[in-house]
Amino acid sequence: MNKAAASPSAPIGHVVEVHGPVVDVACDVPPPLHRALRVRIGDVETVLEVLHHLDPHQVRTIALSRTAGLQRSAPVFDSMAPLRVPVSASCLGRLLDVFGAPLDGGPPLAPEEFRDLLAPPPRLADTRPSAGLLETGIKVIDLLCPFIRGGKTGLFGGAGVGKTVLIMEFMQAVARLHGGVSVFAGVGERIREGHELWHEMRDNGALANAVLVFGQMDESPGTRFRVGLAALTYAEYLRDTLGREVLFLMDNVFRFVQAGSEVSGLLGRMPATMGYQPTLSSEVAEMQDRIVSSRLGNITSVQAVYVPADDMTDPAVEAILMHLDTRVILSRAQAGKGIYPAVDPLASGSKLMDRDYLGDRHYTVARDVRAHLARFRELEDIITMLGIEELSEADRRMVQRARRLQRYLTQPFHAMTAQNAIQGVSVPLVRTLTDCEAILRGDHDALPEEAFYMRGALETVP
């Protein structure tokens, strides 16, 4: 625990009951909600967060680490502060836990200050609305589901469809194109996934402009519930002190909701719709309302979201969706065809796909590309059964151009250059629009479809 959490030498109470991560504490004067308490288990210090006042002399807490070995009557000390993390510019390039302690074997952070995990969002007068597009250099994203500078994007996808690779490419794009920094929140990450991500980012140079904060799958639900807020605290610090473009990535928001559901059940609350906690909407909003841009800098968010049973009407998914500006759907069918990034161009979109916001050219090209791809999807079964020769001349021409567009919207990533022999590419939005217009006009009908696959701009096509 950090120096700011130093407590008086006298205990404020003692442990009366332990139920897994739930610890009931008796005390003469109950500490306020969300106060961090400390208790020792042998030589290890465990942090407790006060979440429920049972009566005038007893509080219920959730332990943010294992409670094995904790006994009744163990003295409990007050930290005199809520949960906090140490912050400083030296956090860049580090792998940290929910308390800001290093997980990468490096030295502890030399803090410039301590910030509360449960800080309120900026005042409305201090916030800045979303303004303009944040180019990523990824053709399909910039064209059909563009990122909004200071906005929130949901990345929907299961295992094996390239979600982690896409997140790593976003990190590199923000650092390369905008001179920004990234903060990655690993909520309930498997140890293998976290280890691979850390090593890949270190090998490709992306780690120098990023902060990784992990709460692993085997940790207490209290840790998994708070690790997203810890990472967001670092993002707010980088926004407010460095004034740089900050990309906040969270994998996985659904695990944050699951951890909240576990905590709610442990506190004895009655479940609500479909077994979720009654505080679902307020807990999601508590985090999402802090992901905003201020006059000091921008925070743009990309959040991976798991969809249970592919049901987009699930209460947890709906609670998250209402806060998002853009949705990017990663399709297993696209990945099966070798289309990477495996973005479903018809299911993905943005609330701001508007002619007045994007401009006539971008809006028109995106609409026409989506229309060609939609018509191709409608005719796929007919082509499979009867062959493309049975289509009308107009439909055959549209399908052929749609197949070229589908392959053109693939591209190799910088994040994967070390794993294969293909050099990653970044394509400016203006170039993407020019190339799509040329394909839609039929300027490249003579070229084989393979010439468009895994390339950058059309000027690179032989």
Side-chain angles (χ1 to χ4, degrees):
M1 198 64 180
N2 53 55
K3 294 180 181 178
S7 64
S9 57
I12 64 164
H14 62 275
V15 174
V16 292
E17 287 189 28
V18 182
H19 300 279
V22 179
V23 180
D24 291 348
V25 177
C27 45
D28 293 334
V29 180
L33 292 177
H34 304 299
R35 177 66 64 87
L37 308 180
R38 298 186 303 115
V39 62
R40 297 197 68 82
I41 305 176
D43 296 331
V44 179
E45 188 174 79
T46 294
V47 178
L48 314 174
E49 182 183 3
V50 178
L51 291 178
H52 190 190
H53 285 185
L54 297 174
D55 59 47
H57 301 289
Q58 192 166 320
V59 297
R60 178 159 291 170
T61 69
I62 295 291
L64 273 71
S65 55
R66 290 182 174 86
T67 56
L70 183 60
Q71 299 178 345
R72 289 181 177 180
S73 302
V76 177
F77 300 85
D78 192 350
S79 71
M80 307 303 293
L83 293 174
R84 289 178 170 179
V85 291
V87 294
S88 73
S90 63
C91 65
L92 291 173
R94 300 302 303 273
L95 175 63
L96 308 172
D97 66 9
V98 68
F99 304 113
L103 295 174
D104 52 11
L109 292 181
E112 296 175 1
E113 60 176 298
F114 292 87
R115 289 200 170 200
D116 296 346
L117 264 62
L118 292 170
R123 297 184 308 163
L124 204 57
D126 296 331
T127 60
R128 186 169 60 185
S130 304
L133 303 183
L134 184 71
E135 287 194 35
T136 64
I138 303 173
K139 294 178 287 188
V140 65
I141 298 289
D142 291 342
L143 176 66
L144 299 177
C145 39
F147 282 14
I148 310 302
R149 188 183 297 273
K152 307 183 187 76
T153 297
L155 186 63
F156 298 81
V161 295
K163 177 178 59 181
T164 301
V165 175
L166 197 55
I167 284 177
M168 290 171 60
E169 189 71 10
F170 293 151
M171 289 182 176
Q172 291 202 23
V174 167
R176 185 179 62 255
L177 300 177
H178 306 282
V181 295
S182 302
V183 178
F184 181 88
V187 182
E189 286 284 299
R190 300 173 183 88
I191 293 177
R192 172 188 57 81
E193 292 175 338
H195 187 267
E196 290 176 356
L197 178 65
W198 177 47
H199 277 279
E200 286 177 8
M201 291 184 63
R202 189 176 61 180
D203 293 342
N204 61 34
L207 187 60
N209 292 296
V211 184
L212 307 183
V213 185
F214 281 100
Q216 296 169 159
M217 186 174 284
D218 63 336
E219 296 193 76
S220 160
T223 296
R224 289 182 275 118
F225 187 50
R226 293 306 188 202
V227 69
L229 293 177
L232 183 54
T233 303
Y234 283 102
E236 291 172 332
Y237 167 77
L238 294 172
R239 176 198 64 193
D240 298 339
T241 59
L242 301 185
R244 298 173 68 180
E245 193 79 45
V246 180
L247 179 65
F248 176 69
L249 304 112
M250 188 170 179
D251 185 10
N252 184 303
V253 185
F254 185 77
R255 293 192 193 126
F256 162 75
V257 171
Q258 282 184 313
S261 181
E262 291 180 53
V263 169
S264 179
L266 291 169
L267 294 176
R269 298 173 183 153
M270 288 291 292
T273 308
M274 294 182 64
Y276 287 107
Q277 61 268 40
T279 53
L280 170 63
S281 297
S282 60
E283 288 172 1
V284 172
E286 183 181 55
M287 172 175 288
Q288 300 290 350
D289 287 351
R290 288 173 58 182
I291 306 175
V292 295
S293 298
S294 70
R295 289 176 290 185
L296 300 173
N298 294 312
I299 295 181
T300 303
S301 172
V302 180
Q303 306 168 30
V305 184
Y306 168 71
V307 182
D310 295 327
D311 181 13
M312 293 295 291
T313 64
D314 185 89
V317 176
E318 288 188 330
I320 297 165
L321 268 173
M322 69 174 61
H323 294 278
L324 302 178
D325 302 305
T326 303
R327 65 184 185 279
V328 178
I329 312 297
L330 295 180
S331 165
R332 196 169 299 280
Q334 292 284 90
K337 297 175 183 176
I339 305 298
Y340 289 103
V343 176
D344 187 330
L346 303 182
S348 304
S350 172
K351 291 180 179 178
L352 299 179
M353 285 294 291
D354 181 84
R355 188 185 299 273
D356 294 333
Y357 192 86
L358 298 179
D360 286 337
R361 187 188 184 199
H362 188 170
Y363 179 83
T364 301
V365 172
R367 181 197 61 192
D368 292 347
V369 167
R370 189 174 273 116
H372 277 65
L373 295 173
R375 184 59 176 163
F376 174 42
R377 184 169 295 183
E378 291 174 0
L379 297 172
E380 273 188 310
D381 290 340
I382 296 176
I383 295 171
T384 301
M385 291 184 295
L386 303 178
I388 194 171
E389 295 79 11
E390 298 300 319
L391 300 179
S392 67
E393 180 64 28
D395 280 344
R396 188 158 58 245
R397 185 167 55 248
M398 179 173 280
V399 166
Q400 289 170 344
R401 291 175 184 172
R403 289 174 64 88
R404 286 170 171 79
L405 285 167
Q406 185 182 60
R407 283 152 179 77
Y408 170 75
L409 293 176
T410 65
Q411 73 187 82
F413 283 165
H414 293 90
M416 295 302 293
T417 300
Q419 279 72 36
N420 54 52
I422 305 176
Q423 182 65 37
V425 296
S426 178
V427 182
L429 174 59
V430 173
R431 185 72 228 184
T432 300
L433 296 177
T434 300
D435 291 346
C436 288
E437 288 171 335
I439 296 173
L440 291 168
R441 286 195 307 266
D443 295 354
H444 302 287
D445 286 354
L447 287 175
E449 295 173 3
E450 292 73 17
F452 297 86
Y453 182 68
M454 283 294 171
R455 301 278 183 172
L458 280 183
E459 60 190 13
T460 66
V461 176

